[in-house]
Amino acid sequence: MLTFILKRLGLAVLVAFTVSFISFSLLFLAGDPAAALAGETASGEDIESLRKLYGFDRPMLVQYGDWLFSAIQGDFGESYYFRLPVASLIAERLSVTMTLGVCGISFALLTAVPLGVAAAIRPNSIIDRVALFLSVAGQAMPSFWFGLILIVIFAIQLGWLPPSGASSPVHFIMPTIVLGYYAMPAIMRLTRAGMLDVLSSDYIRTARAKGAPEGRVLFRHALRNAIIPVVSLAAVQMGFMLGGSIVVESIFALHGAGYLAWESIARNDLPTVQALILVFSMFYIVFTFLADVLNAWLDPRMRSS
């Protein structure tokens, strides 16, 4: 168990360094950052002065090493546009993104797991067909389109919910549904497949033969074992959702880290973009690592090794 965790931890650290280097390199390969920062009307002298001011004239590996050394200490530099420390800027916006992510994964679990269980208990029934339809629709429907549809119906036509903002819990209802609906199909299908597999097991038939109540068989024996891979998938989906919150936050004008990423990209704010890529990547890496550790802990064979 300890050997497995150490291997996964080493792999996570290696992936983090790789992602940081690739993200840092891509921003420079996309063009001259000094020219992008100076603007279209800047002269050659202005661009050259900016290049020297921000150190863009140094070798890229040197720039990456300095940036990584500072980033490890929590210093991502100063935002070119906001003129504030990037670390404090992200910390200020991250609470909105974390709230949205927690609400989104909670909505996905509370909706997808019961539907998956119901579909497994009654295969090929109406409930199963509805679950299949929701699963396919969730995979095919773009988040931005779904969000705009909810705004048109519930904010503009019915007036039940506010279309944007984050000043109250009500403002998070539609963004939570949009973000959570993205994770629902995978969780629903995995819950259904796990329940079908467990319900056909010998110990379930034995429990029923002994006269155990059906509710106890389903929820204490079947769901208890079928939910293990779902918990691991939810951890991975949480990382995906935090990284993909930029679309949802942009649609509903939630001023979180995702919306900050969109603002920074539009304004060529390189330090903020680099920091956000690293932060979102770390979210995914950490949640994936936790999912692997949880799987190992729940596996009796791994715990005994």
Side-chain angles (χ1 to χ4, degrees), residues 35 69 113 158 196 255 282:
F69 181 75
V113 171
L158 299 177
L196 287 174
H255 288 251
M282 288 304 300

Side-chain angles (χ1 to χ4, degrees), residues 183-283:
M184 276 180 55
I187 296 175
M188 189 188 309
R189 289 199 306 268
L190 188 60
T191 303
R192 181 183 183 277
M195 284 293 293
L196 287 174
D197 183 59
V198 171
L199 289 174
S200 62
S201 302
D202 292 336
Y203 72 91
I204 295 295
R205 287 193 289 265
T206 302
R208 284 172 170 166
K210 289 182 178 181
E214 188 65 16
R216 183 177 180 181
V217 172
L218 291 175
F219 297 104
R220 183 172 180 179
H221 298 290
L223 184 59
R224 185 177 181 179
N225 292 280
I227 204 69
I228 294 174
V230 175
V231 175
S232 301
L233 176 63
V236 176
Q237 288 289 339
M238 181 68 176
F240 271 124
M241 292 165 70
L242 290 175
S245 62
I246 179 173
V247 176
V248 177
E249 290 183 15
S250 300
I251 292 173
F252 293 98
L254 297 174
H255 288 251
Y259 191 79
L260 177 62
W262 179 83
E263 289 180 302
S264 303
I265 293 171
R267 291 157 178 165
N268 294 317
D269 192 351
L270 294 180
T272 308
V273 174
Q274 290 169 337
L276 285 169
I277 292 175
L278 183 61
V279 169
F280 285 139
S281 301
M282 288 304 300
F283 273 131

Side-chain angles (χ1 to χ4, degrees), residues 276-297:
L276 285 169
I277 292 175
L278 183 61
V279 169
F280 285 139
S281 301
M282 288 304 300
F283 273 131
Y284 177 74
I285 292 169
V286 168
F287 281 112
T288 303
F289 171 72
L290 293 177
D292 291 337
V293 172
L294 182 61
N295 267 333
W297 183 76

Side-chain angles (χ1 to χ4, degrees), residues 66-216:
D66 291 344
W67 174 80
L68 184 62
F69 181 75
S70 300
I72 292 175
Q73 302 176 67
D75 181 13
F76 296 103
E78 183 179 285
S79 168
Y80 293 162
Y81 179 79
F82 297 97
R83 300 299 177 183
L84 294 171
V86 175
S88 62
L89 194 61
I90 294 177
E92 180 184 350
R93 302 285 193 99
L94 202 56
S95 59
V96 175
T97 301
M98 291 298 296
T99 301
L100 180 60
V102 171
C103 292
I105 196 65
S106 300
F107 171 78
L109 288 171
L110 292 175
T111 307
V113 171
L115 281 174
V117 172
I121 295 174
R122 297 285 187 270
N124 300 319
S125 64
I126 296 179
I127 296 179
D128 192 15
R129 300 298 182 187
V130 170
L132 178 62
F133 170 77
L134 292 176
S135 177
V136 174
Q139 290 288 328
M141 190 184 305
S143 298
F144 70 89
W145 185 83
F146 186 36
L148 293 175
I149 291 297
L150 292 183
I151 290 175
V152 170
I153 296 176
F154 294 103
I156 297 177
Q157 293 185 353
L158 299 177
W160 292 352
L161 298 171
S164 61
S167 58
S168 69
V170 179
H171 288 83
F172 284 90
I173 293 179
M174 288 194 292
T176 294
I177 294 174
V178 174
L179 192 64
Y181 195 57
Y182 168 80
M184 276 180 55
I187 296 175
M188 189 188 309
R189 289 199 306 268
L190 188 60
T191 303
R192 181 183 183 277
M195 284 293 293
L196 287 174
D197 183 59
V198 171
L199 289 174
S200 62
S201 302
D202 292 336
Y203 72 91
I204 295 295
R205 287 193 289 265
T206 302
R208 284 172 170 166
K210 289 182 178 181
E214 188 65 16
R216 183 177 180 181

